[in-house]
Amino acid sequence: MEHITLLIGIVIVTALVFDFTNGFHDTANAMATTISTGALRPKTAVAMSAALNLVGAFLSVEVAKTISGGIIDEAAGVRPEVIFAGLVGAIIWNLLTWLAGLPSSSSHALFGGLIGATLVSVGTHGVHGDAVVMKVLIPAVAAPIVAGLASMAATRLTYRLTRNRDEADTAKGYRAGQIASAALVSLAHGTNDAQKTMGVITLALITGGVVAPHADPPLWVIASAGLAIALGTYLGGWRIIRTMGKGITDIQPPQGFAAQTGAAATILASSHLGFALSTTQVCSGSVMGSGLGRKGAVVRWSTAGRMVAAWGLTLPAAGAVAAGAAFLAKQGTWGVTAVAVLALGICGAIWAASRRNTINHTNVNEGPAAEPVGVVTAALRTVSPPPAGQPAPAGDAPHATDEVPAPAAGAASPAPRAQAATVTR
């Protein structure tokens, strides 16, 4: 019993570490567009998001129940070391995608880790396949599409309603709206993602006989999970914030407001229904939808393609790492120790690699390098060129109808900074 109690303690600590990585991995979901448009300073944005993540963790336990009793059958022989292996797979994948600056799904990393570890340790009967399909896979496909379409429609409506208004005046109003919508996304993120760690800890307590099957998460579990994700959020996942705020499309305040509102509505609805969807996929889909909704704005499909590839790899990749960890953990105490040592070594190597190119709140808004124009981008810009007075997105070649911004102050050019030179062909 003492060994089980110690192992459960290790699982709880590992689950909170995962929750911490989830926080800084997913900060971009709520605050990337707010930071990129200048509605809030970077540090202020992540502090507000962290506080609301903590509040959101106390609002519901429906998603936690899905994790603790919906996907994995705790009565099939699942032991705490299986959950430990699943968490290791999720943490390593989270850190790898953070290093690459890809907004992949922490939720799917967790699901993949738990499923992979359970399959190796227990077998297929330890996984509720119907729950995986209905509450994980279907929402994974549907949620970003729904959020993207909602954001695209909202963006088009927003620009239509304000087409005769001064752009500078409306930008101020939309920046204020962005702050409110970002707060709503942060609150929604707390109600969804913090609960996943609550569910994992509750599952570990159930498998160790500490609490009864199908029990709600204890209050101390809710509080610790909320604090862990809030702390991770406050540290800020600056690499992913840059990708989502600057790398997918050039976001203006009306787009940011539309994207965040659509994402918040989707996440809150899913939390109420107990769908443990990926807030990352929802928010990324919303940003892409806002890019398609503004006339002349084009999504950078190369970045979007890398994101979608990471989404598809998340479940199997985290599952494969967790399966290997579960195989080692099954060998006994030395196996669990080996998994812990290897995980610490890999995480340390990833952190060391990240120091070679530091991204933080001081340089997060530096735009990405210009990309060559792809076939899709060129076709879309031919059909829908930007309105007069709007510059082409970074990485796109100018067209006859485009206006090219004047060079920065100090450059050799007779045109003032506020003016633009028209390209003629």
Side-chain angles (χ1 to χ4, degrees), residues 13 29 32 54 61 125 136 140 182 185 251 253 258 329 408 418:
V13 171
N29 296 346
L54 178 59
V61 294
H125 66 282
V136 178
V185 174
I251 298 177

Side-chain angles (χ1 to χ4, degrees), residues 82-170:
V82 177
I83 303 171
F84 172 64
L87 288 166
V88 167
I91 290 170
I92 290 175
W93 182 254
N94 260 3
L95 292 178
L96 283 173
T97 50
W98 163 75
L99 180 64
L102 290 174
S104 70
S105 170
S106 298
S107 305
H108 289 178
L110 177 59
F111 300 147
L114 290 175
I115 292 169
T118 301
L119 289 175
V120 167
S121 301
V122 177
T124 56
H125 66 282
V127 179
H128 292 146
D130 55 343
V132 172
V133 172
M134 293 300 298
K135 293 205 170 185
V136 178
L137 296 182
I138 291 178
V141 175
I145 295 174
V146 170
L149 291 174
S151 177
M152 182 173 66
T155 301
R156 290 183 176 179
L157 177 62
T158 295
Y159 277 102
R160 181 175 295 274
L161 292 175
T162 59
R163 62 183 182 275
N164 295 323
R165 300 288 301 275
D166 182 72
E167 184 176 340
D169 290 340
T170 58

Side-chain angles (χ1 to χ4, degrees), residues 27 29 58 81 279 323 350 367-368 390 413:
T27 308
N29 296 346
F58 288 88
E81 55 264 31
T279 54
I350 294 172
Q390 285 189 9
S413 173

Side-chain angles (χ1 to χ4, degrees), residues 73-375:
D73 185 359
E74 66 268 17
V78 175
R79 306 299 299 164
E81 55 264 31
V82 177
I83 303 171
F84 172 64
L87 288 166
V88 167
I91 290 170
I92 290 175
W93 182 254
N94 260 3
L95 292 178
L96 283 173
T97 50
W98 163 75
L99 180 64
L102 290 174
S104 70
S105 170
S106 298
S107 305
H108 289 178
L110 177 59
F111 300 147
L114 290 175
I115 292 169
T118 301
L119 289 175
V120 167
S121 301
V122 177
T124 56
H125 66 282
V127 179
H128 292 146
D130 55 343
V132 172
V133 172
M134 293 300 298
K135 293 205 170 185
V136 178
L137 296 182
I138 291 178
V141 175
I145 295 174
V146 170
L149 291 174
S151 177
M152 182 173 66
T155 301
R156 290 183 176 179
L157 177 62
T158 295
Y159 277 102
R160 181 175 295 274
L161 292 175
T162 59
R163 62 183 182 275
N164 295 323
R165 300 288 301 275
D166 182 72
E167 184 176 340
D169 290 340
T170 58
K172 293 178 182 178
Y174 279 118
R175 285 193 178 97
Q178 270 193 282
I179 296 173
S181 59
L184 189 59
V185 174
S186 297
L187 193 68
H189 185 260
T191 66
N192 199 283
D193 278 41
Q195 288 189 55
K196 291 159 190 170
T197 300
M198 297 176 206
V200 170
I201 296 175
T202 304
L203 179 61
L205 296 175
I206 291 172
T207 59
V210 179
V211 299
H214 308 294
D216 287 347
L219 180 60
W220 67 267
V221 172
I222 297 173
S224 59
L227 287 170
I229 199 170
L231 180 59
T233 300
Y234 179 71
L235 292 182
W238 304 111
R239 293 171 180 273
I240 300 174
I241 289 175
R242 175 186 284 185
T243 298
M244 194 175 289
K246 293 290 186 180
I248 299 175
T249 186
D250 295 303
I251 298 177
Q252 295 181 353
Q255 290 172 273
F257 174 73
Q260 288 171 325
T261 303
T266 304
I267 296 168
L268 287 172
S270 69
S271 296
H272 177 71
L273 296 172
F275 289 143
L277 54 71
S278 165
T279 54
T280 299
Q281 291 182 4
V282 170
C283 293
S284 300
S286 292
V287 171
M288 284 189 270
S290 73
L292 294 173
R294 177 169 68 91
K295 184 179 179 181
V298 176
V299 173
R300 296 185 180 93
W301 294 106
S302 59
T303 302
R306 289 193 296 270
M307 287 168 42
V308 173
W311 295 353
L313 286 173
T314 296
L315 271 169
V321 174
F327 178 78
L328 274 178
K330 284 175 62 178
Q331 310 308 312
T333 302
W334 73 267
V336 173
T337 304
V339 171
V341 171
L342 287 171
L344 287 173
I346 293 171
C347 293
I350 294 172
W351 181 84
S354 72
R355 297 299 89 193
R356 299 173 187 169
N357 179 27
T358 302
I359 299 174
N360 54 35
H361 66 283
T362 63
N363 61 0
V364 67
N365 271 338
E366 293 179 4
E371 295 181 341
V373 179
V375 175

